[in-house]
Amino acid sequence: MSTPDTRHISVLGVEAVDMLNPHAGGIYVDATFGAGGYSRAILATEGTRVIAIDRDRTAIAGGFDLVDKSDGRLTLVEDRFSNLADVCIAQGEPLVDGVVMDVGVSSMQLDQAERGFSFRFDGPLDMRMSQHGPTAAEVVAKASEADLANIIYIFGEERHSRSVARAIVAARKEAPIETTKQLVDIVQKVVWAKPGEIHPATRTFQALRIFVNEELDELHTALAAAERVLKPGGRLSVVSFHSLEDRIVKNFMVERSKTGGGSRHLPEIAQSRPRFSLVNKRPITAGDEELRANPRARSAKLRGAERTDAPAQDAGPLPGWPTLASVMKGG
């Protein structure tokens, strides 16, 4: 592969891949393949190998051409990125030199009306990144008013969450809510936006998408999985697009870069060694040129950390927010 394919450029793609510092012979995980922007950029360094993961079968199918052009250096795997450690083991590479993640929905998914991700197009209220599990329409039909309010408040940061949940429950008694337009019309009756503000349905759609795909749970688990597979000196590079994601990434990197376990009152207890060192203490954001070319980049933040030789740590318990399984069971 002499020249990278430039038909898709990932948000902060140059910066995210530069942070990995790819080198010949290095093995890298593109944990969120999408349209392959990060994989192309990594493969532009001769002698690299990429294991790319995506749960969206459409994205995997769209990457077959890049596999053909990669001279055997790209492997595509259909799976959740939280399973990246198991994917690496299955590929015979339990330890890798870098992991890059682009968290959240892709522009390709947003632009496909039939996927139901966007309030800009009328389509089925689906929102699933894969073809498995409950759709957004099923969540809207099944969840209690209290659960809907919590989902919309926690994952959408919508301050009118109770009003939106109440309106959804009232509307579904009259007719099933099966399309994006139906949901938009319901939300717009209780959430108003001033000129220049985001669309009234933005936060509700974000909340349902995150919840249906268990995105924050996935991210929480994937970060710990990356810690397990990275060699000492290996880099973790993560681009996030809203405050909930960025908070999880920041807290993970900061906490794993601290020492702990000792006390001046208990000097005999050895302090645990940091598992990462921060590459950048402040997030990297898009420059003016990228913002002009891609308005979606305005909310993007890139954080990076370098793995030490300290033993990996478990992911720990998930935060106490509503889970897809419990809500669909009615529990």
Side-chain angles (χ1 to χ4, degrees):
M1 270 181 89
S2 58
T3 58
D5 186 341
T6 57
R7 65 185 171 90
H8 175 80
I9 302 173
S10 300
V11 173
L12 290 171
V14 172
E15 294 86 349
V17 172
D18 283 351
M19 187 170 285
L20 294 180
N21 193 25
H23 59 272
I27 301 164
Y28 301 90
V29 176
D30 181 350
T32 50
F33 179 72
Y38 293 141
S39 290
R40 286 186 185 85
I42 295 168
L43 291 168
T45 297
E46 293 294 336
T48 53
R49 182 188 168 197
V50 176
I51 301 169
I53 303 168
D54 206 297
R55 69 161 105 175
D56 189 336
R57 186 164 295 179
T58 303
I60 295 295
F64 290 159
D65 183 60
L66 184 58
V67 171
D68 291 340
K69 295 177 179 178
S70 71
D71 300 322
R73 295 193 288 127
L74 172 63
T75 301
L76 287 180
V77 180
E78 183 182 342
D79 207 332
R80 291 174 175 248
F81 77 137
S82 59
N83 295 327
L84 69 88
D86 292 335
V87 169
C88 289
I89 290 170
Q91 294 300 318
E93 301 291 353
L95 294 175
V96 300
D97 296 279
V99 176
V100 62
M101 304 178 186
D102 179 334
V103 186
V105 68
S106 74
S107 57
M108 296 184 305
Q109 291 165 333
L110 287 171
D111 291 340
Q112 295 173 335
E114 67 273 15
R115 304 296 297 273
F117 284 103
S118 177
F119 50 80
R120 294 184 291 125
F121 311 108
D122 189 21
L125 192 60
D126 192 319
M127 296 195 187
R128 295 174 300 173
M129 292 179 180
S130 68
Q131 299 305 307
H132 306 290
T135 65
E138 290 171 319
V139 171
V140 165
K142 177 75 174 178
S144 68
E145 182 177 324
D147 280 336
L148 283 171
N150 282 332
I151 291 165
I152 295 166
Y153 180 75
I154 293 170
F155 300 119
E157 301 180 300
E158 172 59 77
R159 57 192 177 93
H160 300 293
S161 59
R162 291 182 181 178
S163 297
V164 173
R166 193 178 307 120
I168 288 173
V169 170
R172 76 188 185 191
K173 291 178 181 177
E174 302 298 323
I177 304 168
E178 297 176 336
T179 69
T180 55
K181 185 178 185 304
Q182 284 178 286
L183 183 58
V184 168
D185 290 344
I186 293 165
V187 175
Q188 287 186 133
K189 291 177 181 177
V190 294
V191 180
W192 299 274
K194 297 177 182 178
E197 292 184 343
I198 63 173
H199 190 283
T202 299
R203 293 188 175 93
T204 296
F205 269 66
Q206 172 186 298
L208 286 172
R209 188 206 82 218
I210 289 173
F211 184 72
V212 164
N213 295 291
E214 301 175 291
E215 290 178 36
L216 301 188
D217 295 358
E218 284 284 296
L219 176 59
H220 178 83
T221 306
L223 292 169
E227 179 179 313
R228 293 200 302 277
V229 302
L230 282 168
K231 299 174 182 177
R235 294 279 185 92
L236 173 61
S237 177
V238 186
V239 176
S240 60
F241 288 89
H242 60 71
S243 60
L244 296 172
E245 296 167 345
D246 182 59
R247 195 176 307 138
I248 290 172
V249 176
K250 177 184 177 182
N251 289 344
F252 173 86
M253 291 184 176
V254 169
E255 288 301 317
R256 302 294 175 115
S257 65
K258 290 179 178 177
T259 57
S263 166
R264 64 188 178 89
H265 301 295
L266 298 169
E268 70 278 6
I269 299 178
Q271 290 191 334
S272 62
R273 292 181 291 140
R275 293 159 180 83
F276 283 96
S277 60
L278 298 180
V279 176
N280 57 316
K281 293 186 178 180
R282 294 181 179 275
I284 296 170
T285 56
D288 292 340
E289 183 177 347
E290 182 167 10
L291 290 173
R292 284 192 296 269
N294 184 2
R296 182 174 178 251
R298 69 185 181 277
S299 60
K301 293 182 179 180
L302 167 63
R303 296 183 186 274
E306 184 173 299
R307 189 72 169 87
T308 69
D309 61 357
Q313 184 177 323
D314 290 340
L318 294 169
W321 48 49
T323 66
L324 185 59
S326 65
V327 167
M328 295 308 293
K329 284 194 304 185

